Amino acid sequence: MNSISKLMVGAVWAVGALCTACSDWTDTEAFTVNETNIQEQNPDLYARYLANLREYRTTSHKWVYAWFDNSEKKPYSRAHHLTDIPDSIDVVSLMYPDKLVKSEMQEINQIREDKGMKVIYDIDFDQLKTIYNNMVNEAPENEPVAMEFRQFLTDTLAYSLSLANKYQYDGICIKYKGRLPIYMTEEEKKEYKENENNFINMVNDWKERNPEKMLLFLGNPENLYEGVFILDKCNTIFVSGETATSGSELSYILAQSYLLEYGQKYGAVADVKNTNLTMQAFGQWAVQQHFENQLDAVGVYNVASDYYSSGYNYKNVREMISILNPSVK
């Protein structure tokens, strides 16, 4: 019996007796419950379930990350609620980390304290560069942008990093694609290195001042220069497979990223909206050995778009999780 089974079999059996008609308990995903019914019918049992769930976080399993679109500040659907995502998700990243409203903060505290989930957010270097370039291109000719990109990056990154303490996030995920240096001129390489060093060194300084918080990497680690040292400080190094059409393409992306030396610290991210690569196929690929190693984690982008699956909520994501971390048979 695996670690999930040992922790949860008693609670699943007892709650199943109470809620045999509840479809949330008929799927194979290890931590799916109808919280309202269970809390009302047997609050003590549900409290034990949550305690076991929090303990499960400390056991050996493939971690599951989810990117959640929290742009809707006045929810009109359960798909807009953090409290409805599958319990087997370990870490959720908010796609809009600033200007959180009271209800969002309440739900963040609830999934963290009750379920042991962690809540993080992204800081995307390439997105910041795009924003700056658009500012320059759209500025009137008589009022050009006076601020250089390095100053813009410093100011914007400092503010973005401050959100971790402002909203008490559990960590950050830095996204960095970069460019292959072989296609750059010497002048371009010089500017590229300066920008990278500015970005990575500020992140590193933040990590040293906040050692308890998570740090993840998502993107193309092979495009890092001197900043490659930051990978040693990351909990997980993700390669991006959001546009991959097959498992073989994911394997190619992984092979190009030079992650073999980082052992089991690496993972892959797929988009639940990607019709070319199903969540089930992604899960089956993720449990295989890759270059004599196992993935440490997987990530699901746009997770809330799977809420309305036929049969039951988050059907595809739950099936993927069951492949990664099988439940009681």
Side-chain angles (χ1 to χ4, degrees):
M1 187 175 290
N2 61 27
S3 60
I4 302 176
S5 304
K6 293 177 182 177
L7 292 172
M8 303 307 298
V9 64
V12 170
W13 179 87
V15 176
L18 290 173
C19 306
T20 54
C22 177
S23 63
D24 279 349
W25 278 102
T26 61
D27 65 84
T28 60
E29 203 265 312
F31 299 114
T32 304
V33 296
N34 186 322
E35 294 184 8
T36 302
N37 287 342
I38 294 172
Q39 285 176 295
E40 292 176 353
Q41 296 182 38
N42 197 323
D44 290 338
L45 177 61
Y46 185 62
R48 292 199 299 273
Y49 164 79
L50 291 177
N52 287 337
L53 177 60
R54 292 190 296 270
E55 183 180 346
Y56 164 70
R57 306 293 185 201
T58 67
T59 66
S60 177
H61 65 282
K62 290 189 187 300
W63 277 50
V64 180
Y65 293 74
W67 275 257
F68 185 85
D69 184 346
N70 62 312
S71 58
E72 180 56 60
K73 301 303 180 182
K74 295 182 179 179
Y76 54 86
S77 163
R78 295 309 307 175
H80 300 145
H81 290 275
L82 281 169
T83 49
D84 280 69
I85 63 176
D87 290 356
S88 285
I89 290 173
D90 297 286
V91 182
V92 58
S93 180
L94 298 188
M95 297 170 69
Y96 298 88
D98 200 5
K99 299 180 181 178
L100 301 182
V101 298
K102 182 179 179 180
S103 59
E104 287 180 288
M105 293 300 300
Q106 290 173 338
E107 292 200 0
I108 288 173
N109 291 333
Q110 183 176 341
I111 63 173
R112 178 187 288 133
E113 295 174 8
D114 291 352
K115 301 179 181 182
M117 288 186 190
K118 295 184 182 298
V119 183
I120 64 173
Y121 65 99
D122 290 355
I123 300 178
D124 189 335
F125 172 87
D126 296 277
Q127 184 181 59
L128 295 179
K129 189 70 166 69
T130 298
I131 292 173
Y132 177 80
N133 290 342
N134 289 340
M135 288 172 51
V136 173
N137 294 332
E138 296 171 4
E141 291 186 6
N142 59 337
E143 295 181 16
V145 176
M147 182 185 300
E148 294 184 352
F149 175 67
R150 188 184 304 181
Q151 185 60 53
F152 172 82
L153 176 63
T154 299
D155 295 346
T156 308
L157 182 55
Y159 180 78
S160 298
L161 290 169
S162 73
L163 300 180
N165 289 327
K166 179 179 180 179
Y167 297 107
Q168 294 301 302
Y169 283 105
D170 296 296
I172 62 172
C173 174
I174 55 171
K175 299 175 74 173
Y176 187 88
K177 291 184 178 180
R179 296 167 54 195
L180 286 173
I182 58 174
Y183 300 115
M184 298 183 197
T185 66
E186 290 303 314
E187 186 63 27
E188 288 174 331
K189 286 182 182 180
K190 180 176 181 295
E191 180 183 1
Y192 183 90
K193 289 181 181 180
E194 290 174 350
N195 292 336
E196 177 195 293
N197 287 336
N198 192 19
F199 180 72
I200 295 299
N201 287 335
M202 286 186 66
V203 171
N204 181 60
D205 177 69
W206 172 87
K207 177 60 177 175
E208 289 183 348
R209 290 183 287 105
N210 299 275
E212 77 287 356
K213 293 190 182 292
M214 302 180 71
L215 176 61
L216 311 175
F217 180 95
L218 170 58
N220 299 84
E222 68 273 18
N223 291 340
L224 289 169
Y225 272 89
E226 291 91 343
V228 69
F229 72 90
I230 200 67
L231 300 180
D232 291 324
K233 302 186 178 184
C234 292
N235 298 81
T236 301
I237 306 161
F238 281 110
V239 295
S240 177
E242 287 102 311
T243 60
T245 59
S246 64
S248 59
E249 186 173 350
L250 282 170
S251 296
Y252 175 79
I253 294 171
L254 189 63
Q256 297 301 305
S257 64
Y258 310 146
L259 293 182
L260 301 185
E261 62 184 289
Y262 296 100
Q264 295 190 12
K265 289 179 61 177
Y266 64 90
V269 175
D271 194 332
V272 74
K273 291 183 177 181
N274 185 351
T275 57
N276 294 312
L277 181 69
T278 66
M279 285 291 100
Q280 292 81 359
F282 180 51
Q284 290 164 358
W285 173 84
V287 296
Q288 299 172 9
Q289 277 201 332
H290 301 282
F291 314 106
E292 301 181 354
N293 288 304
Q294 289 281 344
L295 266 69
D296 184 52
V298 299
V300 180
Y301 207 70
N302 288 312
V303 67
S305 64
D306 190 48
Y307 181 84
Y308 298 106
S309 297
S310 60
Y312 51 92
N313 301 333
Y314 290 108
K315 175 180 181 294
N316 296 301
V317 171
R318 286 174 173 168
E319 289 181 357
M320 184 269 291
I321 294 173
S322 293
I323 295 170
L324 297 173
N325 299 306
S327 59
V328 151
K329 300 298 184 184

